[in-house]
Every structure is written in structure tokens, then in C-alpha cells.
Amino acid sequence: MRRFPLFAECLTAGVLVVLAALPLVTLLPALAAGCAHVKAHVDGETTALRAFFDRVRDAARGGLGPSTGVVAGFGALAADVAVLRRVPLPGGGVVSAVCAVAAVGLAVVVLRAAADWSPGERWTALLRSAARRSAADPSGSLLLVVALGVLVVVTWQLPPLVVPMLGCVLMAAVAVERRRSRLRDAEHL
């Protein structure tokens, strides 16, 4: 019974992240606030709506430029795949697959950066660090790829479930980052 409140907070975080990310350029701050919302619940801190939007505001400081870059990166990859699907080019299938893998890799890096965010952090440093952690911790990255895969399959089956499933992906990102820090602490003992 103790796990249901966590699931409910994940659902709430999913709804709030979708609302906060509607302008698209606020994608990174919205994801960071969603991960912070899940962490706050797990740590017994406040999960009030005002606290969520305060976190979005804090994460938006210096985050709109990198967020725009991330959205542009996803857009470029999606546009490449769309063009390759319409215009049959030699090797187009391979390029489409590479674009899909790159999009998943970018999503993993973004989720890891959002889960590691705390007030005052610089987004460029967070994204660089998340890219290094994604490569150095392949099992954690694979866990996030599986979470994204579940998000895609569930959303494909029933599109309105994208909102609650996004909250579950945020929970997975927080769990992967906490797992990484616990493993690192265990190695130093």
C-alpha cells in the first residue's frame, strides 16, 4: 500500500511536466522539476504544486538555451527520418535507424541530466556530465532505454497514457541516478 502514493506522485509529475513543457523551450526545466518532484516525495519533502512551479522557475534560469538546443536536436532527427520515409534514398533505412538510436541516446542523456539537476546547476555542465555517465554506466542507460520503450509501447496502444507514463519514466530516471550514486558510494567503502 505504501507504493501507491509514489505512483500517484508519478502521475501528478507527468501531468505537471506536460503542462510545463507545452512551450517546448521549457522541456529541460519541466523534466528537472518533475524529477525533483518525485525525489521530494521519496525524501518526504513538499510536493505542493507551488513547489513544482518554483522548481520549474529555478531550472529555467540558464536552461532555456540548452532546452531549445535539445528540442532542435530532436526536431532535426525527426525531420531526417520523415524525409527518409518519403524519399527513397539508398541507405535511407540505415540512416533512419541511426537517427532513431541517436534520438534515444539524446533522450537518455536528457533524462539523466534532469534527474541530477539541483538549484544553481548549469545545464551545459549537467548535460556533459550526463553524457559521460550514460556511456560509463551502460546498465543504467539500458534501464532508461527500457523505460522509454515501455512509454512508446503503452502510448502506441493508448495515446492518452503518455501523461502518466511520463511520470513513470521520470521515476525511472531518478531511480537510475540514485542507483548510480549508491554504487559509487559502495565502491569507495
Short mmCIF file of all heavy atoms in Angstrom, two decimals, residues 16 28 44 63 82 98 144:
data_model
loop_
_atom_site.label_atom_id
_atom_site.label_comp_id
_atom_site.label_asym_id
_atom_site.label_seq_id
_atom_site.Cartn_x
_atom_site.Cartn_y
_atom_site.Cartn_z
N LEU A 16 2.05 17.50 -14.58
CA LEU A 16 2.69 18.80 -14.39
C LEU A 16 3.79 19.04 -15.42
O LEU A 16 3.95 20.15 -15.93
CB LEU A 16 3.24 18.92 -12.97
CG LEU A 16 2.18 18.97 -11.87
CD1 LEU A 16 2.83 18.88 -10.50
CD2 LEU A 16 1.32 20.21 -12.00
N LEU A 28 13.60 21.01 -20.70
CA LEU A 28 14.56 20.65 -19.66
C LEU A 28 14.12 21.10 -18.27
O LEU A 28 14.15 20.29 -17.33
CB LEU A 28 15.95 21.20 -19.98
CG LEU A 28 16.71 20.54 -21.13
CD1 LEU A 28 18.04 21.23 -21.33
CD2 LEU A 28 16.90 19.07 -20.87
N GLY A 44 10.36 12.67 1.45
CA GLY A 44 9.44 13.20 2.45
C GLY A 44 9.36 14.71 2.48
O GLY A 44 8.92 15.29 3.47
N GLY A 63 18.43 27.61 -18.46
CA GLY A 63 18.06 26.35 -19.09
C GLY A 63 17.30 26.49 -20.39
O GLY A 63 17.10 25.50 -21.10
N ALA A 82 11.58 11.64 -41.22
CA ALA A 82 10.40 11.93 -42.05
C ALA A 82 10.78 12.07 -43.52
O ALA A 82 10.09 11.54 -44.40
CB ALA A 82 9.73 13.21 -41.55
N VAL A 98 19.90 4.93 -37.51
CA VAL A 98 20.91 5.70 -36.77
C VAL A 98 20.26 6.91 -36.11
O VAL A 98 20.57 7.25 -34.96
CB VAL A 98 22.07 6.11 -37.71
CG1 VAL A 98 22.98 7.14 -37.05
CG2 VAL A 98 22.87 4.89 -38.13
N LEU A 144 16.99 3.01 -18.64
CA LEU A 144 16.22 4.15 -19.15
C LEU A 144 15.70 3.88 -20.57
O LEU A 144 14.59 4.29 -20.91
CB LEU A 144 17.06 5.42 -19.13
CG LEU A 144 17.27 6.01 -17.73
CD1 LEU A 144 18.18 7.22 -17.78
CD2 LEU A 144 15.94 6.38 -17.10
#
